[in-house]
Structure formats: C-alpha cells, structure tokens
Amino acid sequence: MCVGVPAKVVEKMEYSAVVDVMGSQTTVGTIFVPEVELGDYVIVHAGQAMSIVDEDYARESVEEWRKLIDARHSETV
C-alpha cells in the first residue's frame, strides 16, 4: 500500500516545487503533474507530486493525518 500526504505548492520551478506539508517545507518533483501551479494542493509520495487535489480534500486529509499523529503521540507519552 502506498501512502501519500497532501501538500500546498509554495514555490514552483521547472521540474520541481517547494511544498508545505503540515508546516514543514520540502522540495518535490513535479514530472507527473507538469500543469501544477503556485497555491495548488498535491498528493506527495516518495518525493514526487503524484496528483493535484482540491483544497477541501487536502484540508480534510490533513485533519485525519493530525488525528493519527496525535493518537500516536499520546501512546508514547
């Protein structure tokens, strides 16, 4: 199973973009989504933007990721 996380494009170059993933920024490849624009939301997997998603989907997904992170954190405390 592959897991991708939603990220917002905050800077775009020719074949890559800087994305914000829950407050952390990283550079990802954009070869699979050459039409991506600044401000778009993408699903990131293995260092690549795999698809463009709408903002509502991205926000809902981030909420679920945060729940998982919070649950995991509460188990380790």
Side-chain angles (χ1 to χ4, degrees):
M1 178 174 95
C2 296
V3 179
V5 295
K8 183 176 184 175
V9 176
V10 295
E11 184 180 339
K12 184 178 186 276
M13 288 78 79
E14 189 171 2
Y15 299 108
S16 62
V18 176
V19 296
D20 184 283
V21 180
M22 298 190 323
S24 295
Q25 292 188 352
T26 192
T27 302
V28 300
T30 57
I31 195 163
F32 298 120
V33 288
E35 70 279 13
V36 72
E37 297 293 334
L38 189 66
D40 283 348
Y41 287 84
V42 294
I43 295 297
V44 175
H45 173 70
Q48 295 294 318
M50 303 302 287
S51 61
I52 299 170
V53 296
D54 70 30
E55 185 174 354
D56 290 336
Y57 174 84
R59 290 184 191 278
E60 290 172 12
S61 184
V62 166
E63 287 177 26
E64 295 304 316
W65 277 103
R66 288 194 192 282
K67 288 177 187 176
L68 288 171
I69 292 166
D70 291 345
R72 179 68 178 141
H73 177 70
S74 67
E75 289 176 3
T76 60
V77 174

